[in-house]
Amino acid sequence: SVNIGVTLETKNDVILRESPPSRNLLFFVKKPGHEITKIRKGEKFQVKDVKEIAVPFGKDIWVKGSTEAGETGWVYFGEKDKTVNFIKE
């Protein structure tokens, strides 16, 4: 999993959003917030918060943080032990 305070590097283009998805009823998950910007491959992202969202077959991890340009928002990290958008450090 990912820890608050770490700096991650993107391994592909990633969408920075206003909010992570939220759980509605049971396992129905609402869509994430509006797109703020795209973080380009190779850019750094400093983690300030981590949110686990229960989905039907596990948990999705979303991280809140700031980009090198100073924009703040939420990004999909991946599953509990498997990142899809960041280089594992």
Side-chain angles (χ1 to χ4, degrees), residues 4-78:
I4 294 171
V6 300
T7 299
L8 302 170
E9 182 179 336
T10 56
K11 66 179 180 182
N12 48 10
D13 290 352
V14 179
I15 297 172
L16 184 70
R17 296 188 175 274
E18 291 178 343
S19 60
S22 59
R23 204 165 137 197
N24 197 357
L25 301 170
L26 300 173
F27 285 108
F28 293 104
V29 178
K30 292 182 181 178
K31 291 183 179 182
H34 294 291
E35 181 177 325
I36 296 171
T37 190
K38 278 199 170 85
I39 306 170
R40 300 288 172 210
K41 178 181 177 180
E43 288 188 42
K44 305 285 187 200
F45 184 78
Q46 185 175 20
V47 177
K48 299 184 187 240
D49 196 4
V50 178
K51 184 170 189 171
E52 291 184 3
I53 298 166
V55 292
F57 298 104
K59 290 184 180 179
D60 282 349
I61 308 297
W62 282 73
V63 290
K64 181 180 184 178
S66 56
T67 66
E68 293 177 280
E71 294 174 292
T72 301
W74 289 87
V75 174
Y76 177 63
F77 179 81

